[in-house]
Amino acid sequence: MHEMSIVQGLIAIIEEEMENAGATRLRSVRVKIGEMAGILPDALKTAFEIITAQNGMNCAMLNMDIAPLMGYCRKCNKEFKVIGYNFSCLECHSSDIDIISGREMNIVEIEVE
Ligand SMILES: [Zn+2]
């Protein structure tokens, strides 16, 4: 389950943030997960629960926002939502596009005490 290593990376960042802020307890984390980031939200939640328990952060909450897959058309300079893995522009049907979001995973917010 590669979500375990993702969460380990996440916790490392959080611990550093907590140390910098002088915080002792993690309340919640909000992450943004791209639709196509290759992360299963359920698996991420399970991994988060396991790892936070190991690190004595038992009560921490994980909140997840799913970011839609967005494309950018190089031909007509429009941004559009990619629906049903149809990787072509909705306006001009060009397939000369860039994926601009939907593959990322970011920490949006960390709440500590
Ligand atoms: Zn277009």
Side-chain angles (χ1 to χ4, degrees), residues 20-46:
N20 291 341
T24 52
R25 200 169 88 86
L26 177 66
R27 285 173 60 95
S28 67
V29 190
R30 179 173 291 278
V31 292
K32 189 165 106 176
I33 304 168
E35 221 173 36
M36 253 186 65
I39 297 168
L40 299 172
D42 284 349
L44 194 71
K45 207 167 177 82
T46 304

Side-chain angles (χ1 to χ4, degrees), residues 1-13:
M1 187 162 81
H2 83 136
E3 280 79 4
M4 288 296 276
S5 59
I6 293 168
V7 173
Q8 271 157 359
L10 209 67
I11 295 293
I13 295 167

Side-chain angles (χ1 to χ4, degrees), residues 30-85:
R30 179 173 291 278
V31 292
K32 189 165 106 176
I33 304 168
E35 221 173 36
M36 253 186 65
I39 297 168
L40 299 172
D42 284 349
L44 194 71
K45 207 167 177 82
T46 304
F48 184 84
E49 279 163 11
I50 294 167
I51 293 171
T52 50
Q54 282 170 355
N55 292 20
M57 298 169 160
N58 304 46
C59 300
M61 285 265 300
L62 177 67
N63 300 307
M64 292 174 282
D65 294 333
I66 308 298
L69 189 58
M70 297 292 291
Y72 172 81
C73 177
R74 294 193 202 192
K75 230 174 191 171
C76 62
N77 300 320
K78 282 208 165 76
E79 285 182 16
F80 59 94
K81 193 174 183 297
V82 178
I83 298 159
Y85 298 100

